[in-house]
Amino acid sequence: MNRTYQVTWNGSLSKPCTLETGVPQGSVLGPLLFPLYARSLGSVITSHGFSYHCYADDTQLFLSFPSSDNALIATCISECLADGSTWTTAHHLGLNLNKIELLLIPGKDCPHMDLLVTVENITVSPSPTARNLGVVLDNQLCCTANITAVARSCRFALYNICRIRPFLTREAASSPLVISRLDYCNSLLAGLPASAIKPLQRIQNAAAHLMFNLPKFSHVTPLFRDLHWLPVVARIKFKTMVLAYKAVDGTAPAYLQALVKPHTPARSLRSTASAGRLVPPSLRASKGRSTKSQLFSVLAPKWWTSSLPFSGPQSRSLSSEIDSRLTCSESTSTLHSHPPPSGHHCTLPLYISLAIVVLGSMNILTVPTV
């Protein structure tokens, strides 16, 4: 690409030097070339028995282990991070060790574990929360920290809009920033009780009141009808059903398609004309049946199949399919959720823990900084 760079130091400018690696910041090819360049990092991670997810320059490592292997797992994580740091150095990248987060999700009835990881003289201890692509995960998977963070950011946005509301029309006072934040990754909240989602519903009510410039305790149902807004609980269900549709249609990622199974009857029945039904997994073998009520593999088939009969995704579009399935839910749903299920926390099997290591951003070291 014939790119050069120069360094300024104490008023002096160096000679142009040819830049043989890297891509310009903001380049259209950057999101494509960087994953290709960092592809070999996956073999380094899997060699230590870890699973991983990569998004741009953020990498997450996953490892499940028995609680009895505490010291062994700490050593394994340290070695994996050390090899990862060596790989980044060899590929003209730098691993920001100060951004490494360790999230330990204990299994059911798992004893307390003091897991300390050391890499390059830096000790990383488990934290109660870790941020993953804007979503705050906690070590109990109850999503309380994420709901609190979303509600706080939405209140700040509503406060700023409220200050200039007298100068705005109703269309200009619409709250796309607030609604987009409520909808971001909201399928993670599927299966939570109404008491947990109530702070988000209050935010949506406040956004509707602000748009119509009405008092705080005004009834919001007619406002939602005029705005064509679904309540937060219905929006969560809508997002889950969209993912279920994509999993059935084959357009969802492979890991989501593996969580749902189409219904295949043992013999030919008249009802087999309704294609696209999903089969929930059997929970009879598990003693803690209520602990799986938040799983996508359980909720998606349950919500998808419990709606009105349909002719399958092959013969209908996504919008018409989802609209028909939400028609019944929207007509019967109110601003209050269903009664909370017992044991709504999503826990791991007995004495099995999960360690999630969120690596910091990998910074390019090719160009020296002043």
Side-chain angles (χ1 to χ4, degrees), residues 130-352:
R131 185 173 292 274
N132 175 20
L133 300 180
V135 177
V136 181
L137 299 177
D138 57 272
N139 53 9
Q140 298 297 328
L141 294 181
C142 58
C143 299
T144 303
N146 182 60
I147 293 176
T148 303
V150 172
R152 184 187 303 113
S153 63
C154 290
R155 281 195 298 266
F156 180 74
L158 289 175
Y159 172 75
N160 290 331
I161 297 175
C162 183
R163 296 176 62 183
I164 59 175
R165 178 62 183 89
F167 309 99
L168 301 176
T169 62
R170 196 185 77 175
E171 291 74 15
S174 61
S175 307
L177 293 177
V178 175
I179 298 302
S180 62
R181 293 175 184 179
L182 293 178
D183 290 340
Y184 180 70
C185 294
N186 60 350
S187 59
L188 296 174
L189 309 179
L192 288 178
S195 59
I197 306 177
K198 191 174 182 179
L200 301 182
Q201 186 59 63
R202 290 176 177 173
I203 293 295
Q204 190 183 26
N205 296 348
H209 291 150
L210 180 61
M211 288 186 60
F212 289 91
N213 202 14
L214 293 177
K216 176 180 179 181
F217 297 101
S218 301
H219 196 45
V220 295
T221 300
L223 306 183
F224 284 3
R225 188 178 296 112
D226 292 341
L227 295 171
H228 300 283
W229 283 2
L230 290 173
V232 173
V233 176
R235 301 176 84 93
I236 294 173
K237 186 175 182 179
F238 176 84
K239 180 66 71 65
T240 305
M241 294 175 67
V242 168
L243 295 177
Y245 176 90
K246 292 183 177 180
V248 174
D249 198 37
T251 56
Y255 63 88
L256 283 182
Q257 298 183 34
L259 296 178
V260 297
K261 296 181 179 180
H263 174 64
T264 53
R267 55 190 179 89
S268 179
L269 300 174
R270 187 188 308 177
S271 60
T272 56
S274 299
R277 297 186 180 275
L278 304 179
V279 180
S282 176
L283 303 179
R284 295 181 179 180
S286 176
K287 295 181 179 179
R289 180 170 181 174
S290 61
T291 61
K292 294 187 177 182
S293 60
Q294 284 185 248
L295 295 179
F296 176 79
S297 59
V298 175
L299 289 179
K302 177 182 176 182
W303 289 345
W304 185 258
T305 309
S306 63
S307 300
L308 299 177
F310 64 103
S311 56
Q314 293 79 7
S315 60
R316 302 181 63 175
S317 63
L318 173 61
S319 58
S320 61
E321 189 68 50
I322 298 298
D323 289 344
S324 65
R325 292 180 167 274
L326 279 178
T327 301
C328 180
S329 299
E330 185 177 1
S331 60
T332 58
S333 64
T334 61
L335 298 184
H336 302 282
S337 177
H338 298 287
S342 58
H344 61 274
H345 295 283
C346 180
T347 57
L348 298 175
L350 187 64
Y351 297 123
I352 298 295

Side-chain angles (χ1 to χ4, degrees), residues 77-78 81-82 85 95 97 100 117-124:
I77 296 176
S78 299
L81 295 180
S85 179
L95 183 63
L97 299 178
I100 294 180
V117 177
T118 303
V119 51
E120 297 186 8
N121 298 326
I122 296 179
T123 302
V124 181

Side-chain angles (χ1 to χ4, degrees), residues 31-79:
L32 176 62
L33 296 179
F34 185 82
L36 293 176
Y37 183 74
R39 184 178 179 85
S40 59
L41 177 62
S43 58
V44 177
I45 297 174
T46 55
S47 64
H48 293 272
F50 283 82
S51 302
Y52 68 95
H53 281 165
C54 294
Y55 183 83
D57 58 349
D58 291 332
T59 306
Q60 298 173 0
L61 314 182
F62 302 88
L63 179 65
S64 58
F65 58 93
S67 58
S68 57
D69 299 340
N70 191 358
L72 181 61
I73 293 302
T75 304
C76 181
I77 296 176
S78 299
E79 294 177 353

